Amino acid sequence: MVGGTVIETPGEFTFFDYRKPDGQKAYADHTYAFYQIPPDARKLPLVFLHGGGQSGKTWETIPDGREGFQNIFLRRGFGVYIVDQPRRGRAGATSLPQTINPPFNNIMLFSLFRFGNYPDLFPGVQFPKEAESMNQMLRW
């Protein structure tokens, strides 16, 4: 974790009333960065930055559990850096007050992941066609 904000509240922590912030600290607004550099690495590394409501995990594996770009490029001699920006992914803690609303994004994600034009899959898409597979993927 890199950078961020630490906010401390006055008072004294009481274990049996642990939901109160009294005497506790909040750690937020940091960046998550993971890196691997192979021996004799190529001159320039690759930096993987996610988008679309995902996390750096996107680059580590694919949805069915096989390895992702992180290991593929590492084996090819590239240094790899995986980054989750502040308030996103594994660096999701924020110091900003907020109201959390449910994310209505299933059609956007269907298009973003290039499955097709919702609700129809593109011809030749290899994603499983049964509804439960899409249900699980959209939760992931």
Side-chain angles (χ1 to χ4, degrees):
M1 301 297 180
V2 180
T5 304
V6 178
I7 303 169
E8 188 169 359
T9 59
E12 186 174 325
F13 173 74
T14 303
F15 184 78
F16 297 105
D17 205 2
Y18 64 88
R19 287 181 234 191
K20 287 187 176 180
D22 297 353
Q24 297 192 74
K25 295 179 184 178
Y27 296 83
D29 308 324
H30 51 270
T31 295
Y32 169 90
F34 171 86
Y35 69 94
Q36 289 179 292
I37 302 173
D40 303 316
R42 295 182 189 221
K43 182 178 179 181
L44 296 175
L46 298 175
V47 177
F48 294 100
L49 183 64
H50 63 85
Q54 300 179 42
S55 77
K57 181 73 174 162
T58 299
W59 306 111
E60 296 170 4
T61 62
I62 61 174
D64 67 8
R66 289 179 290 152
E67 69 181 359
F69 288 126
Q70 170 192 335
N71 288 332
I72 292 169
F73 283 101
L74 185 65
R75 263 197 318 279
R76 293 183 181 177
F78 289 91
V80 295
Y81 291 76
I82 297 177
V83 178
D84 286 349
Q85 296 167 300
R87 303 183 188 123
R88 299 183 69 188
R90 289 168 284 194
T94 179
S95 63
L96 301 177
Q98 58 187 320
T99 300
I100 299 175
N101 295 311
F104 295 96
N105 58 11
N106 67 309
I107 297 173
M108 182 273 299
L109 291 173
F110 190 93
S111 299
L112 184 67
F113 296 147
R114 298 175 185 88
F115 288 119
N117 293 316
Y118 186 85
D120 301 314
L121 295 169
F122 288 135
V125 167
Q126 295 181 18
F127 190 84
K129 310 273 186 290
E130 70 272 358
E132 185 56 24
S133 292
M134 184 60 66
N135 179 13
Q136 290 299 313
M137 191 286 301
L138 289 169
R139 292 170 187 275
W140 189 67

